[in-house]
Amino acid sequence: MIKIIFLLLQLCFEYSQYSNDGIVKLVDTIGTEKTQRLIQLIDEYPDKKDLDFDNKIDESDYYREAAISVVKKILPITLDEYTTLSDVNAEGNVVVYQYEINGITPDEFLLPDNRELVKKAIVESYCSDSPQIRKMKKYFNEGAKYTYYIDGKRILIVDVTTDCSFKK
C-alpha cells in the first residue's frame, strides 16, 4: 500500500521513487510535519488481511481506497505559491485531483497558452513511462482527472486516459 500512496502523490507533484531521495523531495514539497504524519498513517493503517473484502471486487479496490484515505488525512498540500492540492478521490478506476489556484485570476489562468502549459505538464507527468506511473495505472486503470478551482469555482478540468489521450 505504501507504494500506491506515494504514487498518488507523485501524480500531483513531481518527486522521485520512494527512497531516501523521494522522502527528501516529499519533505521539501509538503514539509516535515506532513511527511511524518503521512508515514505514521501508513504505518498505522490496518493490514489488508484483517479487512472484509465482501464488498470489494478485488484487492485493487482496497488499495485505491486505502491510499486515498491516507492522503486525504494530510490535505491540503501546498505545492507552490499558486497551487494547493485540496482533495483527491476515485471515480471508479479514475484518480481525481482537485487543486485550488491562488494569486492568479481565472482570465489569466484560462488564457490558451496557460491552459496548454497546464495540459502539457499533466501529460508529461501522467504519460511518462516510469515504473511508478505504470504501477499507478495498474490501480487507476481508466485515467486521471485534474480539476482546478479559483475562489471555489471550477475553472478547468483535464481528463487523461491511460493511453494518454484527452477526453473531450
Side-chain angles (χ1 to χ4, degrees), residues 38-105:
L38 177 63
I39 291 169
Q40 176 188 3
L41 289 166
I42 292 167
D43 289 343
E44 291 172 357
Y45 210 86
D47 189 290
K48 69 179 176 128
K49 67 184 173 204
D50 297 327
L51 298 177
D52 176 14
F53 279 95
D54 289 342
N55 296 322
K56 307 288 182 225
I57 295 171
D58 61 32
E59 289 186 1
S60 294
D61 289 342
Y62 165 78
Y63 287 116
R64 278 190 297 273
E65 291 174 22
I68 286 173
S69 172
V70 169
V71 171
K72 280 180 169 286
K73 291 179 182 180
I74 63 163
L75 293 176
I77 299 172
T78 301
L79 303 175
D80 58 39
E81 64 183 296
Y82 304 108
T83 315
T84 300
L85 177 66
S86 57
D87 202 5
V88 62
N89 290 293
E91 291 178 0
N93 292 335
V94 175
V95 61
V96 180
Y97 294 102
Q98 180 175 316
Y99 297 95
E100 187 67 37
I101 303 299
N102 299 299
I104 299 173
T105 66

Side-chain angles (χ1 to χ4, degrees), residues 19 24 35 40 64-65 72 119 167:
S19 63
V24 168
T35 300
Q40 176 188 3
R64 278 190 297 273
E65 291 174 22
K72 280 180 169 286
K119 287 180 180 180
K167 294 180 184 176

Side-chain angles (χ1 to χ4, degrees), residues 7 23 46 80 85 87 94 106 109 124 166:
L7 292 170
I23 294 296
D80 58 39
L85 177 66
D87 202 5
V94 175
F109 188 81
E124 285 178 2
F166 289 103

